[in-house]
Amino acid sequence: MSLNTQPARPQPGRRCPISPATTSRPRALTLPELSPRRHQLLDAALHVVADRGLRGLTHRAVDREAGLPEGSCSAYLRTRQALQVALTEYVASTLAADVDELAEQLVGCAGPDERAVGLAIALFERWLHERELLVAKLELSLEASRNPELAALLGSWRARLVDVVSQIMSRHGREHSVDRAEALVAAYDGILFAAMLKPARARRTFLSRSLALTMRGLTAE
């Protein structure tokens, strides 16, 4: 996910900074490989899914959300499957960019300590404030259980997160099989969505405490 300003990259051997959670205002989603019009359509599609669910995702609804003439979306994405695939790529690429950024920050962290875990918690706290992104991911994940093409796209970003979790476990000198890392990522996913169901004032506290408890699996025997 692109930011207007890039955070300073940690230098090898220095303390690894932990970015604070962002405000409740979602960050703009920008993918450089998209044309301005295609980006506009996919951003509108994200809003539609977040507000109306995947059933509400139609070409006409996207056109209306984007403020474009009817037929604009279908000119770029002719079928419903094409629209769903493009939106899934959009969401998965955004999440993957965040995970890649976390991986780069971990490279600059020296020593097997808790700062790496803190960075991971900070990323999940940031995601918590991006309701539309998370709701769209949940809707698309449910559809992916019936659609192998969507499942493959979502599986790609999840594999990156599993790899990062495995790296953190390795830093602590613990057994870090893929199975264990995958189980932890699945737990984090559940905690994140459980936090969304909490009252707004309680979400961050619930998320931080639950992740801290679960992330003991990164350092425990």
Side-chain angles (χ1 to χ4, degrees):
M1 182 178 296
S2 301
L3 300 176
N4 291 332
T5 57
Q6 293 293 330
R9 302 236 184 257
Q11 297 299 317
R14 297 183 181 180
R15 288 182 62 84
C16 186
I18 298 177
S19 303
T22 61
T23 64
S24 58
R25 182 179 181 181
R27 290 171 293 160
L29 305 182
T30 55
L31 298 177
E33 68 272 16
L34 297 176
S35 68
R37 179 53 56 85
R38 194 178 179 90
H39 181 279
Q40 182 183 9
L41 290 168
L42 291 178
D43 193 51
L46 186 72
H47 291 301
V48 170
V49 171
D51 290 342
R52 310 176 203 174
L54 201 59
R55 288 186 177 182
L57 182 64
T58 65
H59 292 86
R60 181 176 297 179
V62 172
D63 288 336
R64 289 176 177 174
E65 182 68 32
L68 296 172
E70 188 173 327
S72 298
C73 184
S74 60
Y76 284 81
L77 303 161
R78 297 191 62 82
T79 66
R80 178 175 173 79
Q81 172 70 1
L83 177 56
Q84 289 184 352
V85 168
L87 179 59
T88 303
E89 289 176 334
Y90 188 54
V91 170
S93 295
T94 299
L95 293 168
D98 278 348
V99 173
D100 287 348
E101 183 180 312
L102 172 62
E104 290 181 12
Q105 290 176 322
L106 291 176
V107 170
C109 292
D113 51 47
E114 296 301 319
R115 290 191 294 274
V117 174
L119 279 168
I121 290 178
L123 173 58
F124 277 87
E125 287 183 347
R126 195 170 72 189
W127 279 341
L128 180 62
H129 295 295
E130 299 181 6
R131 172 188 168 276
E132 292 186 338
L133 181 67
L134 292 183
V135 171
K137 173 183 170 291
L138 178 58
E139 292 276 354
L140 292 167
S141 295
L142 292 174
E143 181 64 22
S145 67
R146 301 177 291 269
N147 189 321
E149 190 171 4
L150 302 189
L153 292 170
L154 291 173
S156 177
W157 90 266
R158 178 179 288 273
R160 295 193 196 187
L161 184 55
V162 169
D163 183 61
V164 169
V165 169
S166 183
Q167 288 178 39
I168 297 175
M169 295 169 71
S170 178
R171 290 167 61 84
H172 285 84
R174 303 304 182 191
E175 182 273 328
H176 54 284
S177 68
V178 173
D179 288 344
R180 189 179 182 190
E182 284 184 336
L184 285 170
V185 168
Y188 304 154
D189 240 358
I191 290 170
L192 191 58
F193 286 113
M196 293 177 63
L197 301 178
K198 296 284 184 181
R201 65 182 181 278
R203 290 173 187 167
R204 183 177 178 185
T205 298
F206 170 82
L207 180 74
S208 298
R209 289 177 179 175
S210 299
L211 286 176
L213 288 171
T214 309
M215 284 189 172
R216 289 177 183 174
L218 294 178
T219 58
E221 294 289 353

